[in-house]
Amino acid sequence: MNQKMFKQKGKNLSDSDNKYRKEKVSDNKKWSGHHVSECAEESPRILDRLGGLRYEKAPAGDNRLAKVSSVARSRSFREKEGKVLLEGRRLICDALSAGASPQTLFFSMVERLQELPLDKLQQVKLIKVKYEDMKTWSDLVTPQGVIAIFSKPDASRLAFPKDIRHQSVPLFLICDNVRDAGNLGTILRCAAAAGCDRVLLTKGCVDAWEPKVLRAAMGAHFRLPVFPNLDWDDISKHLPKDVIVHIADNCSSFTKDPVSAPVSGQIQNVTLDKSSESDSDEDSDDELSLPCVKPQVYHESWAQKSTALVIGGETCELSLEALGLAEETEGRRIFVPMAPGAESLNSAMAASILLFEGRRQLLKVSDKTRRRARSKML
């Protein structure tokens, strides 16, 4: 009997001890792994730390995160629904700062939510999910614990950082058939760093809102205007009237200039219209009818006023429209001399070299103009 009473007493102590532990967790706001305890979630102190924001906890079997992951995997779904998926604190903060419209935000810890500008999440649906679920549907090896669905941003309505825009130069980048997501993202990052005015993407380019493009661009989408999925007629509307269009090319043999010879460069040859292809002797006449654009080494003067640069993809040939626009504006085929036998630079590497050289030349012209204006005033 004494042994039975001892066991019952121990059981009562154990129950009391467990109750005490739960109350202590609630009071001290202790965290368990990646998830907040239910007691902590209901605490008024947590709500105060979130500025009064309310969120819901996804129940077991909730598949909302799995559904929105299709936004990241399907271009057609993004275009149809008008949504994009952004993952990670920095990218989401950049989007919020630029005025993008968030719809739903998934997070694994309250601490991750606190790292975001809470005042811009007042109308956003907040859902707390398990970290394991986020890891399952994330494209990252180690997710940062926050994923957001935004309305597809319109570059003409975003508010870009003023300090960056004030340092921009009249340099426009046109991406023609750039289909590698990593390359396009790196090109956008270079364009933002070089102070480009805007980036124009033809319909042949990979979607600018692909997850891999977003990761490689490191927030460039929200630092300068990026206009995707454009026809060549639309591209002309986004450029100043006095712009000169140059192309980054390998100076192919498709030219009317008999003096120029093929030179190692960056981008592929010109794409011919299929309607002009023929087995007759008129093929040579078709080649001669191609636009004539003279080659020029990259470090010579080519960016003196509003300048546009066309960068083509590595596996896709440069469009005939690009060459025609360069001829029409008296542009050049800009190339980077390379050591004999070396492989041509990829499109991202070529873009970085040419964009920063273009920026250097434009700033030099701007500096000369300011000096002349000062000397006249004196």
Side-chain angles (χ1 to χ4, degrees):
M1 182 177 293
N2 290 338
Q3 187 176 4
K4 185 176 181 181
M5 292 178 61
F6 179 79
K7 289 183 178 180
Q8 183 66 30
K9 185 177 180 181
K11 182 179 179 181
N12 293 336
L13 288 174
S14 178
D15 292 341
S16 176
D17 188 54
N18 289 336
K19 183 178 179 181
Y20 171 76
R21 287 197 186 101
K22 290 181 180 179
E23 292 175 352
K24 188 175 182 181
V25 168
S26 177
D27 293 337
N28 296 333
K29 305 297 181 301
K30 289 189 176 180
W31 308 89
S32 175
H34 293 287
H35 313 297
V36 188
S37 68
E38 293 185 11
C39 295
E41 286 181 354
E42 297 173 356
S43 171
R45 296 183 182 181
I46 293 294
L47 297 178
D48 291 340
R49 286 161 57 186
L50 295 178
L53 287 178
R54 297 280 179 174
Y55 61 87
E56 62 177 283
K57 183 177 180 181
D62 192 304
N63 62 349
R64 282 177 290 183
L65 182 58
K67 287 183 177 179
V68 299
S69 65
S70 59
V71 176
R73 292 171 171 80
S74 173
R75 178 173 185 171
S76 60
F77 187 85
R78 286 192 296 270
E79 294 176 350
K80 180 181 178 181
E81 298 293 329
K83 300 177 181 180
V84 296
L85 184 147
L86 305 180
E87 183 171 0
R89 182 193 63 81
R90 180 174 178 179
L91 189 57
I92 292 175
C93 286
D94 288 344
L96 293 173
S97 298
S101 301
Q103 297 180 356
T104 308
L105 189 143
F106 299 88
F107 65 97
S108 61
M109 295 176 60
V110 173
E111 289 179 334
R112 299 286 80 81
L113 197 59
Q114 287 183 276
E115 296 173 352
L116 305 177
L118 301 179
D119 59 316
K120 297 182 179 181
L121 300 176
Q122 298 297 326
Q123 305 300 323
V124 182
K125 188 172 186 178
L126 306 175
I127 303 174
K128 183 177 180 294
V129 298
K130 293 182 178 180
Y131 183 80
E132 287 75 13
D133 293 339
M134 187 167 289
K135 192 172 183 179
T136 299
W137 298 108
S138 172
D139 284 332
L140 302 178
V141 177
T142 306
Q144 297 183 26
V146 58
I147 296 176
I149 299 297
F150 281 75
S151 299
K152 196 170 186 179
D154 184 352
S156 60
R157 297 182 179 180
L158 292 178
F160 301 100
K162 293 182 179 180
D163 55 339
I164 295 178
R165 299 306 293 162
H166 287 164
Q167 297 182 17
S168 64
V169 293
L171 183 60
F172 305 83
L173 178 63
I174 303 172
C175 294
D176 182 23
N177 291 323
V178 178
R179 298 183 180 179
D180 183 90
N183 277 342
L184 180 59
T186 304
I187 289 172
L188 295 179
R189 185 178 180 182
C190 290
C196 285
D197 185 274
R198 65 190 60 186
V199 179
L200 311 176
L201 309 179
T202 67
K203 286 189 174 181
C205 290
V206 64
D207 185 19
W209 300 104
E210 285 279 349
K212 191 173 181 179
V213 177
L214 288 166
R215 289 196 297 270
M218 294 294 290
H221 294 72
F222 305 106
R223 286 178 167 77
L224 83 167
V226 178
F227 296 91
N229 206 32
L230 298 176
D231 291 319
W232 280 99
D233 292 338
D234 297 328
I235 286 178
S236 300
K237 297 176 183 178
H238 285 278
L239 299 174
K241 293 182 179 180
D242 61 341
V243 71
I244 297 179
V245 179
H246 304 281
I247 57 177
D249 191 30
N250 65 353
C251 296
S252 68
S253 57
F254 289 125
T255 178
K256 291 186 289 188
D257 185 2
V259 179
S260 64
V263 183
S264 295
Q266 290 72 48
I267 313 302
Q268 301 292 328
N269 296 337
V270 180
T271 300
L272 292 173
D273 190 345
K274 292 183 179 180
S275 62
S276 66
E277 294 180 357
S278 173
D279 294 332
S280 65
D281 296 335
E282 296 180 356
D283 286 351
S284 59
D285 294 335
D286 290 335
E287 290 184 5
L288 292 176
S289 66
L290 289 173
C292 176
V293 182
K294 296 182 179 179
Q296 180 173 315
V297 68
Y298 82 105
H299 55 73
E300 293 180 354
S301 177
W302 53 274
Q304 301 300 304
K305 56 178 184 177
S306 295
T307 303
L309 178 68
V310 181
I311 294 289
E314 297 177 54
T315 59
C316 301
E317 298 176 342
L318 202 65
S319 298
L320 183 61
E321 292 87 348
L323 200 60
L325 192 57
E327 182 190 44
E328 181 183 341
T329 59
E330 299 182 355
R332 294 288 186 269
R333 293 186 298 169
I334 310 300
F335 68 94
V336 178
M338 299 175 60
E343 290 292 334
S344 61
L345 302 175
N346 67 25
S347 55
M349 185 71 73
S352 64
I353 295 173
L354 298 181
L355 288 177
F356 279 98
E357 175 60 23
R359 175 180 176 83
R360 185 192 69 81
Q361 294 184 16
L362 288 169
L363 290 177
K364 185 177 181 181
V365 171
S366 177
D367 186 55
K368 287 183 179 180
T369 303
R370 285 196 298 267
R371 289 181 180 179
R372 290 175 183 175
R374 290 177 183 176
S375 61
K376 288 181 181 180
M377 293 177 62
L378 296 175

